[in-house]
């Protein structure tokens, strides 16, 4: 079964409980969780005038297609009360698909690997914890290499 890497994020409500519930729901609806990073408090990226996020990377073995996995991620967001009004605004839950095996996909609904991953320390730090030696299928470097080269200087602090 394919291995997908997801980034979970929350900056509204009980952030830790939201991440826990998302892990449980995704494990029940999308596949088997095989790894999870620690939880990191991170500064908001994009729109900076909002509360700090908790972020966590997870690895999931799934029988779903990339599009079906996206639907499961969106369902988890909706179940957590996510509403979409402004891009990068505060949210109860955000679930991004970072990688789906070495699939490269570019559709209006889904781009794989996640196109902004190399720019985002808040995603690279937790992902590096569980997949440091994984190679990016387009950039041909490891996640550890991407983190070392990342110009983002926003704080990323492990909290659990």
């Amino acid at each position: 079964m394919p291995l997908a890497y997801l980034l979970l994020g929350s900056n509204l409500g009980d952030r830790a409980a939201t991440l826990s519930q998302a892990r449980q729901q995704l494990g029940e609806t999308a596949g088997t969780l095989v790894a999870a990073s620690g939880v990191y408090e991170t500064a908001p990226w994009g729109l900076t005038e909002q509360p700090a996020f908790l972020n966590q990377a997870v690895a999931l073995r799934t029988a779903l297609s990339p599009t079906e996995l996206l639907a499961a991620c969106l369902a988890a967001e909706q179940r957590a009360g996510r509403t979409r009004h402004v891009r990068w605004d505060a949210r109860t839950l955000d679930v991004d698909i970072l990688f789906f095996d070495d699939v490269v996909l570019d559709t209006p609904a889904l781009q794989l690997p996640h196109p902004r991953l190399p720019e985002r320390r808040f995603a690279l730090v937790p992902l590096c914890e569980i997949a440091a030696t994984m190679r990016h299928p387009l950039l041909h470097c490891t996640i550890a290499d991407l983190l070392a080269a990342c110009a983002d200087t926003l704080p990323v602090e492990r909290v659990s």
Side-chain angles (χ1 to χ4, degrees):
M1 282 196 294
L3 182 62
Y5 289 92
L6 311 177
L7 184 70
L8 312 178
S10 176
N11 74 336
L12 292 177
D14 187 338
R15 302 172 302 163
T18 298
L19 294 185
S20 177
Q21 291 163 357
R23 286 191 311 273
Q24 180 179 349
Q25 182 180 355
L26 290 166
E28 293 169 357
T29 63
T32 302
L33 288 174
V34 296
S37 73
V39 175
Y40 292 81
E41 187 163 70
T42 65
W45 192 93
L47 290 180
T48 58
E49 297 301 317
Q50 57 182 306
F53 277 83
L54 288 185
N55 288 112
Q56 181 177 41
V58 298
L60 178 80
R61 285 263 175 227
T62 184
L64 301 178
S65 71
T67 304
E68 292 167 333
L69 179 58
L70 176 60
C73 293
L74 293 173
E77 290 179 352
Q78 187 173 25
R79 184 174 179 192
R82 167 110 188 235
T83 57
R84 293 175 185 268
H85 300 290
V86 177
R87 187 176 190 188
W88 297 324
D89 200 6
R91 60 211 89 152
T92 53
L93 180 64
D94 186 40
V95 182
D96 288 332
I97 304 172
L98 303 177
F99 292 99
F100 190 97
D101 270 347
D102 59 356
V103 170
V104 175
L105 184 66
D106 189 0
T107 70
L110 181 60
Q111 291 179 291
L112 294 171
H114 193 289
R116 289 172 297 286
L117 175 63
E119 306 164 12
R120 295 176 170 179
R121 208 164 162 265
F122 70 85
L124 288 168
V125 169
L127 182 61
C128 194
E129 186 180 320
I130 62 171
T133 61
M134 186 181 79
R135 293 185 99 51
H136 191 289
L138 294 173
L139 302 176
H140 308 292
C141 59
T142 67
I143 301 307
D145 293 336
L146 288 175
L147 178 56
C150 184
D152 180 5
T153 60
L154 292 173
V156 176
E157 302 292 330
R158 186 172 173 147
V159 295
S160 69

